[in-house]
Amino acid sequence: MKFIIITYISALITLTLFLSQDKALEESIKRGADIYSDFCVTCHLPNGKGVEKTFPPLAKSDYLLKNREESIRGIKFGQQGEIVVNGITYNNTMPAMGLDDEEIADVMNYILNSWGNKGKDFVTPEEVSKIQKK
Amino acid sequence: MKNSISFLVLVLLGLNLSCAQQGENEVSTPDKITFTPQLIIDDLPIAWGMAFLPDGSILITEKSGDLIRFKDGNKSIINNSPTIYNRGQGGLLDIAIDPDYKNNGWIYISYSSEEGEDKGGNTAIMRAKLNGNSLTNNEVLYKASPNSTKGQHFGSRIEFDNDGYLYFSIGDRGDRDVNPQDITKDGGKVYRINRDGSIPSDNPFVNSEGAKTAIYSYGHRNPQGMVKNPYTGDIWTNEHGPQGGDEINIVGKGKNYGWPVITYGINYSGTPITDQTKKKGMEDPLHYWVPSIAPSGMTFVTSDKYPSWKGSLLIGSLKFQYLERLELKNNKVVYREKLMPDLGRIRDVKQAPDGFIYVSVEGKGIYKLVPKI
């Protein structure tokens, strides 16, 4: 009986945590959508497909999904030089947008969960704050 | 039968007419390239503006905040440059020297600034003098308000007309339904001030209740190109449209250029902004681009270094990454040509006092266009 109660309670706690994290992610994605339409959309476009050979796609981008840290660093400090995205080489400049850590986490959560992308873990402002300039 | 033939002719004629602007927008590739782009200053991420000093040095504004002087092959950082609000499209923007620089030494800079009470930033214009490796006598001539944390549309180019008035542009700051059509608000305007920051007494809205009296024209989206037409003395601007609808305009006193009431563009999401491209009391552009090229700096070619280009307008494309040459006839674009393809996003282009054309390419640096002999 004791075992059942413990199991029940821990399941309840896990579920609550899970749901609240889900809710937090949802809110973060929502804020991220606003950031995206303010800072990113002119180049990467509303569908996240970018412009071939000029502005790399974010939608189903192998670079983005495989290089989480590098992607956050790019948004935080700007990015320049050659990268290969879905087999196509891009050599361009993206300036740092002056976003704070929470805004960067929000926009990462948005792009990692849009256009068919499915991010593994929730990006938090703490994770962003730990990423340093190279 | 006769009727149906004339109907067919009319339909075909109509089709031709409706395609006219489409035709204008087809950019040609020249048969022969008459110049070599020579990279004279390298390693500049985003050289936003350039100014050429009488001693042959070049002042360069780097968007992220550095003011750089290039002299005798070396770059040095100029101290005491304005503190910028680094956000989105903001940063250290344009730079220009006074028409009477040799006598007064004034340098003008546009930048995004956090000055003021509210959170965020807005475009400011500063003048200062260069003393050794430092700016001195810094004076803020104009600071738009209120501040905003939006990342878009700070403008901003600086230019002077033949009477010595200073013109600058500020974009709509991402608030298109609030700013551009309201002359009591900053943003979405071209401004005209005296070079000491005072307001000319004959500015168009000096007697309008509550107006920002520095405004010269309004209804702009985001002008990032501005140049005096050396043949007429008029101030020409180019501005970014939304998706489609980039424009060239000749700025007229008190005139309304229509954003966002009339435009040839649509929202980035593909939805319409308005179905109107014309309206009484609003100016038609001299030229528009669909699709957008994302025009930035522009210059007129007047020098003898490029004989076949004389009188042309050069405009950088950020989006398609080339330099566009436009031939004009009676203030109409009659030919467009694509130069310097695939080098990178072109941010600024200027004909320098030495007669050569200099082009700033993002991620590369500054190129000098050397004519082939």
Side-chain angles (χ1 to χ4, degrees):
Chain A
M1 186 61 192
K2 207 171 168 188
F3 177 73
I4 292 172
I5 289 173
I6 288 169
T7 313
Y8 177 75
I9 290 172
S10 53
L12 206 64
I13 290 168
T14 316
L15 196 67
T16 313
L17 276 175
F18 186 73
L19 283 177
S20 69
Q21 194 177 14
D22 232 30
K23 182 116 176 62
L25 176 61
E26 205 177 286
E27 300 265 306
S28 169
I29 290 171
K30 225 164 113 189
R31 290 191 302 269
D34 287 340
I35 296 287
Y36 187 83
S37 70
D38 190 341
F39 295 88
C40 320
V41 75
T42 50
C43 297
H44 293 290
L45 302 186
N47 58 15
K49 284 188 179 158
V51 176
E52 199 174 293
K53 291 181 191 159
T54 305
F55 308 124
L58 304 170
K60 303 202 174 80
S61 157
D62 59 353
Y63 180 91
L64 172 74
L65 300 171
K66 280 185 223 152
N67 301 280
R68 176 182 175 110
E69 192 181 318
E70 220 28 61
S71 300
I72 296 172
R73 186 174 286 115
I75 300 171
K76 195 169 172 180
F77 300 106
Q79 193 163 343
Q80 189 176 348
E82 219 171 85
I83 55 169
V84 178
V85 184
N86 298 347
I88 293 169
T89 304
Y90 294 83
N91 192 352
N92 219 328
T93 306
M94 177 171 82
M97 290 290 150
L99 301 172
D100 64 32
D101 292 347
E102 188 181 11
E103 289 172 322
I104 293 170
D106 290 343
V107 82
M108 273 299 286
N109 287 325
Y110 174 72
I111 64 179
L112 285 173
N113 292 283
S114 300
W115 321 295
N117 292 347
K118 198 78 207 98
K120 278 189 206 112
D121 305 296
F122 187 19
V123 180
T124 61
E126 292 68 43
E127 179 181 354
V128 176
S129 74
K130 283 182 194 132
I131 292 176
Q132 300 297 319
K133 200 168 181 168
K134 251 188 187 166
Chain B
M1 183 62 194
K2 212 173 171 188
N3 267 349
S4 64
I5 287 174
S6 42
F7 177 68
L8 197 69
V9 169
L10 274 176
V11 166
L12 286 173
L13 203 69
L15 274 176
N16 277 330
L17 284 176
S18 65
C19 293
Q21 174 71 26
Q22 206 76 49
E24 273 176 41
N25 265 324
E26 271 162 25
V27 62
S28 310
T29 307
D31 304 329
K32 216 175 98 191
I33 302 296
T34 54
F35 67 94
T36 313
Q38 189 186 339
L39 185 64
I40 56 157
I41 314 175
D42 64 358
D43 198 20
L44 295 168
I46 302 180
W48 218 93
M50 306 177 260
F52 300 84
L53 298 183
D55 67 356
S57 61
I58 308 175
L59 291 176
I60 301 150
T61 44
E62 181 58 56
K63 181 181 174 292
S64 58
D66 284 342
L67 177 59
I68 296 162
R69 176 168 50 190
F70 180 77
K71 194 181 182 183
D72 305 325
N74 295 310
K75 275 184 276 187
S76 54
I77 305 268
I78 302 295
N79 302 316
N80 198 29
S81 61
T83 304
I84 59 154
Y85 174 54
N86 190 8
R87 180 93 171 166
Q89 296 164 8
L92 194 59
L93 304 174
D94 205 18
I95 185 160
I97 63 166
D98 196 282
D100 194 25
Y101 180 80
K102 275 182 188 163
N103 292 314
N104 64 27
W106 285 116
I107 292 164
Y108 302 83
I109 297 170
S110 64
Y111 59 104
S112 54
S113 159
E114 274 183 295
E115 190 186 301
E117 301 288 295
D118 24 63
K119 195 175 167 212
N122 214 326
T123 308
I125 305 291
M126 176 185 279
R127 74 169 177 177
K129 294 186 180 187
L130 186 61
N131 187 354
N133 253 348
S134 203
L135 289 184
T136 58
N137 302 76
N138 298 22
E139 288 174 34
V140 177
L141 301 183
Y142 197 87
K143 164 67 182 44
S145 61
N147 288 337
S148 159
T149 55
K150 293 240 180 185
Q152 305 108 323
H153 307 166
F154 291 84
S156 164
R157 292 284 172 195
I158 301 169
E159 182 59 302
F160 305 92
D161 70 5
N162 288 337
D163 297 320
Y165 291 120
L166 187 163
Y167 294 76
F168 62 93
S169 59
I170 303 180
D172 68 14
R173 294 295 286 110
D175 230 338
R176 71 178 194 210
D177 298 321
V178 174
N179 294 328
Q181 289 296 322
D182 187 344
I183 56 164
T184 69
K185 291 194 157 67
D186 278 313
K189 314 288 179 345
V190 170
Y191 297 78
R192 183 178 78 162
I193 57 175
N194 294 314
R195 286 176 283 159
D196 63 0
S198 62
I199 307 294
S201 57
D202 62 340
N203 259 14
F205 302 114
V206 284
N207 296 318
S208 306
E209 179 80 28
K212 299 272 182 183
T213 52
I215 295 173
Y216 191 72
S217 66
Y218 64 108
H220 297 281
R221 186 172 177 273
N222 191 26
Q224 288 196 327
M226 175 152 34
V227 66
K228 180 181 78 181
N229 180 330
Y231 299 100
T232 63
D234 291 331
I235 299 294
W236 288 42
T237 57
N238 67 44
E239 67 181 61
H240 297 274
Q243 189 151 260
D246 296 347
E247 299 182 354
I248 299 175
N249 291 300
I250 300 174
V251 172
K253 188 174 174 175
K255 288 189 172 162
N256 180 355
Y257 291 83
W259 174 252
V261 183
I262 56 171
T263 177
Y264 288 90
I266 55 171
N267 284 314
Y268 286 106
S269 57
T271 57
I273 294 164
T274 166
D275 56 2
Q276 288 177 294
T277 53
K278 282 181 194 303
K279 196 168 183 180
K280 212 177 159 221
M282 295 184 184
E283 305 301 311
D284 288 336
L286 178 142
H287 178 77
Y288 67 89
W289 287 270
V290 176
S292 294
I293 65 163
S296 193
M298 69 169 165
T299 197
F300 277 94
V301 185
T302 59
S303 89
D304 297 322
K305 309 272 186 204
Y306 316 89
S308 61
W309 292 1
K310 211 162 184 170
S312 293
L313 192 59
L314 297 176
I315 295 180
S317 165
L318 291 165
K319 184 171 170 202
F320 295 121
Q321 319 205 27
Y322 68 85
L323 182 68
E324 182 161 317
R325 183 173 75 86
L326 303 100
E327 284 182 14
L328 303 152
K329 209 172 201 174
N330 303 322
N331 283 348
K332 278 215 157 62
V333 174
V334 293
Y335 175 74
R336 294 170 56 221
E337 183 174 270
K338 185 177 184 174
L339 305 169
M340 297 176 75
D342 306 322
L343 268 183
R345 285 157 63 82
I346 294 185
R347 181 52 76 176
D348 199 15
V349 51
K350 272 210 169 99
Q351 180 182 294
D354 64 8
F356 287 105
I357 307 284
Y358 293 82
V359 182
S360 151
V361 181
E362 290 188 3
K364 303 276 167 55
I366 292 171
Y367 289 83
K368 176 180 177 178
L369 305 192
V370 182
K372 283 184 186 165
I373 308 163

